[in-house]
Coordinates of all heavy atoms in Angstrom, one line a residue:
M363 N -0.5 8.7 -3.8 CA -1.2 7.8 -3.0 C -2.2 8.6 -2.1 O -3.2 8.0 -1.6 CB -0.2 7.1 -2.1 CG -0.8 6.0 -1.2 SD -1.4 4.5 -2.1 CE 0.1 3.8 -2.7
E364 N -2.1 9.9 -2.0 CA -3.0 10.7 -1.2 C -4.4 10.8 -1.7 O -5.4 11.0 -1.0 CB -2.5 12.2 -1.0 CG -1.2 12.3 -0.2 CD 0.0 12.0 -1.0 OE1 0.1 12.1 -2.2 OE2 1.0 11.5 -0.3
N365 N -4.6 10.7 -3.0 CA -5.9 10.8 -3.7 C -6.7 9.5 -3.7 O -7.8 9.5 -4.2 CB -5.8 11.4 -5.1 CG -5.2 12.8 -5.1 OD1 -5.4 13.5 -4.1 ND2 -4.5 13.1 -6.1
L366 N -6.2 8.4 -3.2 CA -6.8 7.1 -3.2 C -7.7 6.9 -2.0 O -7.2 7.0 -0.9 CB -5.8 6.0 -3.3 CG -4.8 6.2 -4.5 CD1 -3.8 5.1 -4.5 CD2 -5.6 6.2 -5.8
N367 N -9.0 6.7 -2.2 CA -9.9 6.7 -1.1 C -10.7 5.4 -1.0 O -11.6 5.3 -0.2 CB -10.9 7.9 -1.2 CG -10.2 9.2 -1.0 OD1 -9.2 9.3 -0.3 ND2 -10.6 10.2 -1.8
T368 N -10.4 4.4 -1.8 CA -11.1 3.1 -1.7 C -10.1 2.0 -1.7 O -9.0 2.1 -2.1 CB -12.0 2.9 -2.9 OG1 -11.3 2.8 -4.1 CG2 -13.0 4.1 -3.1
V369 N -10.6 0.9 -1.2 CA -9.7 -0.3 -1.1 C -9.3 -0.7 -2.5 O -8.2 -1.0 -2.8 CB -10.5 -1.5 -0.4 CG1 -9.7 -2.8 -0.6 CG2 -10.6 -1.2 1.1
D370 N -10.3 -0.7 -3.5 CA -10.0 -1.1 -4.8 C -9.0 -0.1 -5.5 O -8.1 -0.6 -6.2 CB -11.3 -1.1 -5.7 CG -12.3 -2.2 -5.3 OD1 -11.8 -3.3 -4.8 OD2 -13.5 -2.0 -5.4
S371 N -9.1 1.2 -5.3 CA -8.1 2.1 -5.9 C -6.7 1.9 -5.3 O -5.7 1.9 -6.1 CB -8.6 3.5 -5.8 OG -8.6 3.9 -4.4
I372 N -6.6 1.7 -4.1 CA -5.3 1.4 -3.4 C -4.7 0.1 -3.9 O -3.5 0.1 -4.4 CB -5.4 1.5 -1.9 CG1 -5.8 2.9 -1.4 CG2 -4.0 1.0 -1.3 CD1 -6.2 2.9 0.0
L373 N -5.5 -0.9 -3.9 CA -5.0 -2.2 -4.4 C -4.6 -2.1 -5.9 O -3.7 -2.7 -6.4 CB -6.1 -3.3 -4.2 CG -6.3 -3.7 -2.8 CD1 -7.4 -4.7 -2.7 CD2 -5.0 -4.3 -2.2
G374 N -5.4 -1.3 -6.7 CA -5.1 -1.2 -8.1 C -3.8 -0.5 -8.3 O -3.0 -0.9 -9.2
V375 N -3.5 0.5 -7.6 CA -2.2 1.2 -7.7 C -1.0 0.3 -7.3 O 0.0 0.2 -8.0 CB -2.1 2.5 -6.9 CG1 -0.7 3.0 -6.8 CG2 -3.0 3.5 -7.5
A394 N -0.2 3.1 2.3 CA -1.2 2.3 1.6 C -1.9 1.3 2.6 O -3.1 1.2 2.6 CB -0.6 1.6 0.4
K397 N -4.1 3.0 5.2 CA -5.4 3.4 4.5 C -6.3 2.2 4.3 O -7.5 2.2 4.6 CB -5.2 4.1 3.2 CG -4.6 5.5 3.3 CD -4.3 6.1 2.0 CE -3.7 7.4 2.1 NZ -3.4 8.1 0.8
L398 N -5.7 1.1 3.9 CA -6.4 -0.2 3.7 C -7.1 -0.7 5.0 O -8.2 -1.1 5.0 CB -5.5 -1.3 3.1 CG -5.1 -1.1 1.7 CD1 -4.1 -2.1 1.3 CD2 -6.4 -1.2 0.8
L401 N -10.1 1.5 5.7 CA -11.2 1.3 4.8 C -11.7 -0.2 4.8 O -12.8 -0.4 4.2 CB -10.7 1.6 3.4 CG -10.3 3.1 3.1 CD1 -9.6 3.2 1.8 CD2 -11.5 4.0 3.3
L402 N -11.0 -1.1 5.4 CA -11.4 -2.5 5.4 C -12.8 -2.7 6.0 O -13.5 -3.6 5.6 CB -10.3 -3.3 6.0 CG -10.5 -4.8 5.9 CD1 -10.4 -5.2 4.4 CD2 -9.3 -5.5 6.6
D404 N -15.6 -1.2 5.8 CA -16.7 -1.1 4.8 C -16.8 -2.4 4.0 O -17.9 -2.8 3.7 CB -16.5 0.1 3.9 CG -16.7 1.4 4.6 OD1 -17.3 1.5 5.6 OD2 -16.2 2.5 4.1
E405 N -15.6 -2.9 3.6 CA -15.6 -4.1 2.8 C -16.1 -5.3 3.6 O -16.9 -6.1 3.1 CB -14.2 -4.5 2.3 CG -13.6 -3.4 1.4 CD -14.3 -3.2 0.1 OE1 -14.7 -4.2 -0.5 OE2 -14.6 -2.0 -0.2
K408 N -19.9 -5.0 3.8 CA -20.5 -5.5 2.5 C -20.5 -7.1 2.5 O -21.5 -7.6 2.1 CB -19.7 -5.0 1.3 CG -19.8 -3.6 1.0 CD -18.9 -3.2 -0.1 CE -18.6 -1.7 -0.3 NZ -17.7 -1.4 -1.3
K452 N -10.7 -10.5 -1.4 CA -10.1 -9.2 -1.3 C -9.8 -8.9 0.1 O -8.7 -8.3 0.4 CB -11.1 -8.2 -1.9 CG -10.5 -6.8 -1.9 CD -11.5 -5.6 -2.1 CE -12.5 -5.9 -3.2 NZ -13.4 -4.7 -3.3

Side-chain angles (χ1 to χ4, degrees):
M363 188 69 68
E364 290 81 26
N365 296 330
L366 305 176
N367 296 323
T368 66
V369 169
D370 291 330
S371 63
I372 294 168
L373 290 175
V375 168
K397 290 177 183 181
L398 287 170
L401 297 170
L402 192 57
D404 290 338
E405 300 298 314
K408 290 177 195 174
K452 184 193 317 181

